[in-house]
Amino acid sequence: MTSTTDEPPIARTAGATGTAAATPAPGTADSAATSDVELLIGGMTCASCAARVEKKLNRMDGVTATVNYATEKAKVSYPAGIEVADLIAVVEKTGYTAEEPAPPQPATHGPEQAPEDPELTDYRQRLTVSALLAAPVIALSMIPALQFDNWQWLALTLASPVVVWGGLPFHRAAFTNARHGAATMDTLISMGTLAAFGWSLWALFFGDAGMPGMHDTFEFTVSGTDGASQIYLEVASGVITFILLGRYLEARSKRRAGAALRALMELGAKDVAVLRDGREVRVPVDRLAVGDRFVVRPGEKIATDGTVVEGASAVDAALLTGESVPVDVAVGDAVTGATVNAGGRLVVEATRIGADTQLARMARLVEDAQNGKAEVQRLADRISAVFVPAVIVLAVATFGAWLGLTDDTVAAFTAAVAVLIIACPCALGLATPTALMVGTGRGAQLGILIKGPEVLESTRRVDTVVLDKTGTVTTGRMTLQKVYVAEGADEEQVLRLAGAVEHASEHPVGRAVAAGADHRFGPLPEVEEFENVPGRGVRGRVEGHDVAVGRLFDALPTELARARDEAERGGRTAVVVGWDGAARGVVAVADTVKETSAEAVRELRALGLTPVLLTGDNRLVAEAVADAVGIDQVIAEVLPEEKVEAVRRLRSEGRCVAMVGDGVNDAAALATADLGLAMGTGTDAAIEASDLTLVRGDLRVAADAIRLSRRTLATIKGNLVWAFGYNVAALPLAAAGLLNPMIAGATMAFSSVFVVSNSLRLRTFR
């Protein structure tokens, strides 16, 4: 999984999301000698664990590490001279396990047959047994009417396995951390439950609690009683059970949160019918090579990115991009791996394989985004790192304060245990990564790739969206719009003769005329003596006529001159058609506006954004397109390097600018904008320079992307408000004796479940 970074990513003005390897810390090795690795971290149970591992790795010279508790992964950039084994050794010395992910294996089953997470199975088993044993203990302790003679010994018998075996993961983690001089949430749980259990054992064996006829009562707040007759078996077993329930629900929710990425990675075909010496040979898809030709039958998945070399069909990309309508493809068209052939037989030549395919790049972008951290999460991690030691100090202070003020050991002990148990930094650690996992996963399902958590902050501030015209607002393909004919001329003849001559031309305008003529009137006649007149047009001999198309006529009849001017005022390109020395008609072609662009502009306006059209085309064409889609501000006739200046000028006016583009000439502008959105149908340079990639060529997805990003950011902030607010409110209540330790345990467990459940609501985004 290690890889050397050979070339730096395009520099970004804002919202940079390049790899850590591209931005070494001051004084470290040059980026060319820096490698990246992803490690799977085992044994982490809370956010403070992740903070400890991250801190230890970052102390190594030249190492930059980010550890994500929700994904249980570390993304590490390290210089020459350090080996992956050294990184793993540091993690293991910290008390956790680390390993490189196993190379991906061709899937032999669907996601529904995937083996279950062993951690999830373990939590479920411990939870089931603990719940069955703890339920009667809690009932006996809380309901005096159920307390028969010597009931306390039955409670001890039932509670002991819960505390010892059910709580073993917490005790083991606490012991491991203690050996390394650290304290985590497991330390709090283990200390609290073992203290309650130990007090109960002392009271039963050495106090009065073991006497026949002993009765106990449950209260929601701390109350003083005779310490020798007070037992806390329901607290010890109940807290363990509640926290196991919380851990189980949390682990299951985390698995669901990452389901979108797993589903994305499992979309690809497993094998493929490759053409070898004219015969079809079925081989695993990982044995495909660039240049191989393979057969895709109706209903089969296209094995990898390629170009159609034989056949015509419709391709369904719904699973990959969320686009519901199949797209027609024919010879020469590009197709994407993991899409489904919905029509006829195709023969495709592979152009990208393995990690270079669009599917692999999508999965990589989503995973990188999920492993990243927003600035607000870094703050939460810093708080979590000091939170546990602070809580232990607070618990000791609470015990001392209660003992000094009331001289009641039982009340002091109960309040201290409540403080230990209520304080859990898990919700803080889960607030950002779970929302990010679900939001980016849902985005991938809809054809929206968010490069990193930093992007979310930008979407909230954006107030202006700059739209490139060609390929973004328009299709980027010239099409025939209208035919004007002189008096006495025939429209069919004008278009057939013009199309016949232009059929031999490579110019986009010529191809549009030829395609329009062929579509309307069928096969075109042959052209002879074809000649290209640079900058002016083409001519040739067709059906006995000397035909000229372009600007090859010095004078035009009045009606044709008027028609040409009308076409150009409407933003179209007009070419004159004539034969035998006389102009007979004018053909108008234009780059067609996408059907969805006007709706997309309305949606962007509804989000509070001001749209601006940016193009290198002439102003008349640009204004015609802007009028068609409802854009008021137009910046036209700019060179590629001037697009960057246009974006900078808008930013200098105090605007927060998003840029949507698809071409090589848009890459610099995308990188300069506060938020870059690249059409996935565009060039690699544009996609690399952007913050958000829109897999479909539909501008409406830009509005969806901004809405999803804003919704994800709002969810993160809601989670953090809850996580901070919960601890701020709960700790004083526990210290004041207003919370029974068992109620504290239940509340703490469900705080994490609440955060994860709130994040899962993003799965319903439409």
Side-chain angles (χ1 to χ4, degrees), residues 192-212:
T193 54
L194 289 179
F197 188 67
W199 182 287
S200 301
L201 289 177
W202 176 82
L204 284 168
F205 287 101
F206 302 104
D208 300 330
M211 301 295 290

Side-chain angles (χ1 to χ4, degrees), residues 522-553:
L524 301 174
E526 294 292 327
V527 61
E528 300 172 350
E529 302 173 19
F530 173 80
E531 181 187 359
N532 180 26
V533 184
R536 299 195 65 193
V538 293
R539 56 180 156 220
R541 190 165 183 80
V542 183
E543 294 181 343
H545 298 289
D546 291 322
V547 182
V549 184
R551 294 183 294 171
L552 297 169
F553 296 90

Side-chain angles (χ1 to χ4, degrees), residues 217-566:
T217 57
F218 177 85
E219 297 183 14
F220 285 92
T221 59
V222 172
S223 62
T225 59
D226 177 14
S229 63
Q230 183 74 25
I231 60 174
Y232 289 98
L233 294 174
E234 82 283 2
V235 170
S237 58
V239 166
I240 291 288
T241 303
F242 281 130
I243 293 174
L244 281 172
L245 175 61
R247 286 282 179 90
Y248 171 70
L249 294 174
E250 178 187 308
R252 193 177 69 170
S253 297
K254 279 163 60 179
R255 185 171 174 82
R256 288 170 63 198
L261 177 59
R262 288 194 300 276
L264 187 66
M265 298 176 78
E266 291 168 351
L267 278 180
K270 307 302 180 283
D271 53 26
V272 57
V274 181
L275 289 175
R276 299 272 164 82
D277 300 323
R279 295 174 53 240
E280 292 183 25
V281 180
R282 207 88 195 171
V283 299
V285 73
D286 57 0
R287 287 175 55 187
L288 262 182
V290 172
D292 279 350
R293 295 190 172 191
F294 57 92
V295 176
V296 190
R297 290 185 170 78
E300 289 185 338
K301 287 181 180 176
I302 296 173
T304 193
D305 298 357
T307 304
V308 177
V309 293
E310 184 182 317
S313 182
V315 171
D316 183 355
L319 291 175
L320 191 66
T321 69
E323 191 169 13
S324 58
V325 180
V327 178
D328 291 331
V329 295
V331 174
D333 288 337
V335 290
T336 305
T339 54
V340 178
N341 178 13
R345 177 182 183 271
L346 294 175
V347 176
V348 179
E349 183 174 307
T351 55
R352 286 177 174 171
I353 59 170
D356 295 329
T357 63
Q358 182 168 320
L359 177 64
R361 290 164 68 196
M362 284 176 66
R364 196 158 56 244
L365 280 172
V366 174
E367 189 165 25
D368 286 347
Q370 293 183 350
N371 284 334
K373 289 188 180 181
E375 191 56 40
V376 70
Q377 176 63 24
R378 296 189 184 279
L379 172 63
D381 286 351
R382 286 195 293 271
I383 292 172
S384 296
V386 299
F387 191 78
V388 172
V391 168
I392 294 174
V393 171
L394 178 61
V396 173
T398 299
F399 181 83
W402 272 84
L403 196 61
L405 293 172
T406 66
D407 200 29
D408 187 334
T409 307
V410 173
F413 174 80
T414 307
V417 169
V419 168
L420 285 174
I421 292 172
I422 195 76
C424 166
C426 272
L428 279 177
L430 291 168
T432 295
T434 52
L436 198 61
M437 286 173 71
V438 182
T440 53
R442 182 59 182 148
Q445 292 173 333
L446 299 174
I448 302 163
L449 303 181
I450 303 171
K451 279 198 175 176
E454 305 89 347
V455 174
L456 304 178
E457 295 283 353
S458 299
T459 60
R460 180 176 56 85
R461 299 190 305 269
V462 165
D463 54 29
T464 301
V465 58
V466 175
L467 306 174
D468 171 58
K469 181 183 76 68
T470 306
T472 302
V473 176
T474 66
T475 61
R477 297 187 303 273
M478 296 293 241
T479 56
L480 179 66
Q481 300 287 306
K482 194 168 183 180
V483 180
Y484 305 87
V485 296
E487 187 177 347
D490 176 64
E491 180 178 330
E492 179 178 350
Q493 187 178 21
V494 167
L495 193 52
R496 283 182 73 255
L497 294 180
V501 178
E502 292 286 20
H503 193 267
S505 170
E506 292 298 319
H507 195 281
V509 172
R511 289 202 298 269
V513 173
D518 183 71
H519 177 71
R520 290 195 191 184
F521 305 118
L524 301 174
E526 294 292 327
V527 61
E528 300 172 350
E529 302 173 19
F530 173 80
E531 181 187 359
N532 180 26
V533 184
R536 299 195 65 193
V538 293
R539 56 180 156 220
R541 190 165 183 80
V542 183
E543 294 181 343
H545 298 289
D546 291 322
V547 182
V549 184
R551 294 183 294 171
L552 297 169
F553 296 90
D554 296 326
L556 295 181
T558 304
E559 68 267 33
L560 290 186
R562 193 182 301 119
R564 182 188 60 189
D565 294 343
E566 177 191 327

